[in-house]
Amino acid sequence: MHPQPEPPGRRRSSTWEGRLLGAALLLSCQVPRTTATVYPSNHELYKFDYLSSNPHHDGITRPLTKRDNPIPLIITNNCRDTLWPGIRTQNGDPPEANGFELGPGQSRHMSVGPTWQGRVWGRTNCTVSGDSATCETGDCFGKLNCQFGGTVPTTLAEFNLAGGINNQQTFYDISLVDGYNLPLGLVYHPADNTSYIPPNLVNAACIATAGYLSTSSASGVSYSNASFPLPYEHHETNAALASWCPWDLQAFPPTKPGDGVYPYPDDTVQRPVFDPCKSACAADNAPQHCCTGAYSEPARCHPSRYSRRAKAACPDAYSYAFDDASSTFIIPNGGGWEVVFCPQGRSTDIIQTFGPELSQIANGGRVTPDMLRRVMDAAYIEGTRSGGTATAAGVGVRFVVGAVAAWVGVWGWGTL
Ligand SMILES: *[C@@H]1O[C@H](CO)[C@@H](O)[C@H](O)[C@H]1NC(C)=O
Ligand SMILES: *[C@@H]1O[C@H](CO)[C@@H](O)[C@H](O)[C@H]1NC(C)=O
Ligand SMILES: *[C@@H]1O[C@H](CO)[C@@H](O)[C@H](O)[C@H]1NC(C)=O
């Protein structure tokens, strides 16, 4: 058993988003055309080669290592059951272990190199013996210490600690492109030189499992940091989350009474609480779901029912290949990360709420007093989202502003 060869990167071409982006860029300055690698099923992160992309960086002629600057990577299991986190390193110095057991309430503190690029997911229901582990979700080719990726469907945390301009930005996201298995949140642990970044601009979470949502709150004032209220998605209910996954995409669908004999309405069948969901792309590998072949342009590849439902439950997460502008977080590099399985609270809605603020941090690396006032103001947070149902125009403007920063940061310079 070997992992699939890495799919070649593909280029974006002209689309409505591309034209809007182009117009916005022309207005601001002369910036190169955007090109990008997209994320098909089992997608790879965009490539990053420290030396070849950055030969003159500060006179350093070798990749920085953990010895130069170790970055914390902490994995926390807040779930009720034991998990076996899996980690895949795509670049840079890896953490101390790429797979291990983690009991409920436990954290494991590790570190990675400053140019680390990789992803983290949770494996469930593993049978472990020595260095082998057979898991119901996220399985690493039978190994406890993962060597390659994990079996879909899994909720992924993805990081590139040294991307963008002079490799001085951190890109990260929560991805449901390959499916969903567990609620996952990210907690930023700032470095001394990045402690100015407000925590409610960076700590994204995706909670799409019934029973794990806190009570609805647009700004999270009641159960997040009172000084920096997190913008939360506030439409979902625990009851609705029980059936967000399209019936036929459940990884382990419950048996329907009368299945194959009488038609039975799907939604009345009791589903298990732990109900991993395959993405449409991962389920059938169809070009229209994976945005490949004739569908490899944003104008042609539309979100599937899976993507729309995933995005509704987790607005800050990637739901399909061309969802990048509303799912990629970019901040100046320096700090470390905690990946929390089953975090408290609700799914965040940070990018849509704080698009302009995030652009400002990504581009200028600065938080102005004015911006600080806004991000600490629950009324501003709730207002920007018009009570949660932002108008199409409002979303459009924010989307484009955010997209410019995100796309320039990710691709404008990086892939030249
Ligand atoms: C499988 O793992 C999930 C998540 O940890 C848990 O909720 C579920 O009860 C487990 N199933 C079995 C059969 O142990
Ligand atoms: C809120 O976040 C800020 C910045 O991270 C931190 O200094 C402060 O202690 C936090 N407050 C609470 C109540 O957790
Ligand atoms: C913060 O300091 C670290 C370690 O010296 C450095 O790698 C990083 O680029 C700095 N980040 C910023 C935003 O200056």
Side-chain angles (χ1 to χ4, degrees):
M1 294 221 289
H2 292 287
Q4 295 287 310
E6 298 183 354
R10 284 177 290 123
R11 297 191 151 237
R12 285 185 194 287
S13 39
S14 175
T15 65
W16 70 269
E17 284 167 306
R19 283 194 294 272
L20 280 176
L21 176 62
L25 290 178
L26 280 176
L27 286 176
S28 52
C29 55
Q30 293 243 315
V31 180
R33 271 176 311 128
T34 44
T35 56
T37 304
V38 297
Y39 296 178
S41 184
N42 285 313
H43 63 275
E44 294 301 315
L45 279 171
Y46 40 84
K47 295 280 171 295
F48 169 68
D49 179 340
Y50 193 86
L51 286 177
S52 63
S53 65
N54 196 17
H56 307 298
H57 178 65
D58 296 342
I60 294 171
T61 55
R62 61 180 169 79
L64 291 169
T65 68
K66 271 201 219 183
R67 242 188 343 189
D68 303 312
N69 182 16
I71 303 287
L73 177 66
I74 302 159
I75 318 280
T76 295
N77 178 7
N78 204 28
C79 303
R80 291 154 202 159
D81 303 297
T82 298
L83 294 178
W84 292 263
I87 299 171
R88 167 141 195 228
T89 290
Q90 282 147 298
N91 223 312
D93 278 4
E96 287 73 5
N98 289 311
F100 46 86
E101 184 169 302
L102 197 62
Q106 289 186 334
S107 286
R108 177 147 183 188
H109 290 246
M110 300 183 290
S111 60
V112 293
T115 64
W116 185 68
Q117 179 181 331
R119 53 174 62 157
V120 179
W121 65 96
R123 287 176 289 177
T124 67
N125 317 88
C126 301
T127 307
V128 179
S129 143
D131 59 2
S132 62
T134 310
C135 309
E136 192 171 289
T137 62
D139 189 75
C140 290
F141 300 93
K143 294 267 186 248
L144 178 61
N145 195 22
C146 302
Q147 237 186 313
F148 309 107
T151 306
V152 300
T154 52
T155 316
L156 295 172
E158 305 188 298
F159 302 95
N160 179 353
L161 300 186
I165 318 161
N166 291 330
N167 313 116
Q168 301 218 324
Q169 292 174 315
T170 290
F171 300 154
Y172 64 97
D173 62 74
I174 297 175
S175 173
L176 308 184
V177 171
D178 295 336
Y180 173 92
N181 68 339
L182 293 165
L184 187 155
L186 303 173
V187 179
Y188 184 53
H189 289 246
D192 288 345
N193 58 0
T194 58
S195 58
Y196 64 90
I197 301 176
N200 58 344
L201 291 186
V202 291
N203 294 341
C206 166
I207 302 176
T209 301
Y212 286 78
L213 279 190
S214 301
T215 323
S216 179
S217 165
S219 63
V221 276
S222 39
Y223 38 78
S224 69
N225 183 308
S227 316
F228 293 98
L230 267 168
Y232 281 132
E233 188 290 321
H234 68 111
H235 289 146
E236 290 293 346
T237 60
N238 279 303
L241 281 184
S243 54
W244 75 268
C245 180
W247 178 272
D248 53 331
L249 295 180
Q250 293 174 95
F252 311 104
T255 10
K256 291 196 235 177
D259 199 14
V261 183
Y262 304 106
Y264 200 90
D266 293 343
D267 286 343
T268 62
V269 177
Q270 177 78 41
R271 302 188 189 197
V273 170
F274 180 66
D275 192 25
C277 190
K278 292 182 272 188
S279 68
C281 170
D284 62 11
N285 219 25
Q288 67 269 32
H289 293 147
C290 299
C291 303
T292 52
Y295 297 86
S296 56
E297 296 179 11
R300 286 168 196 251
C301 195
H302 303 293
S304 64
R305 198 156 70 104
Y306 166 83
S307 320
R308 289 195 305 271
R309 290 183 172 200
K311 198 72 182 173
C314 295
D316 279 328
Y318 259 94
S319 64
Y320 79 115
F322 289 119
D323 207 7
D324 33 31
S326 64
S327 335
T328 303
F329 286 80
I330 305 174
I331 60 170
N333 62 11
W337 294 93
E338 180 173 359
V339 178
V340 182
F341 294 102
C342 305
Q344 271 195 309
R346 298 178 62 85
S347 294
T348 56
D349 191 7
I350 299 173
I351 294 180
Q352 185 171 290
T353 309
F354 287 135
E357 289 81 4
L358 282 167
S359 304
Q360 193 176 319
I361 289 185
N363 293 326
R366 247 161 44 84
V367 174
T368 56
D370 202 40
M371 177 172 150
L372 193 59
R373 257 195 309 279
R374 286 199 303 277
V375 303
M376 295 178 78
D377 179 359
Y380 173 78
I381 293 171
E382 289 164 24
T384 53
R385 295 152 67 250
S386 321
T389 1
T391 59
V395 171
V397 170
R398 291 188 167 276
F399 185 85
V400 170
V401 172
V404 169
W407 289 13
V408 167
V410 177
W411 296 294
W413 291 289
T415 59
L416 255 196

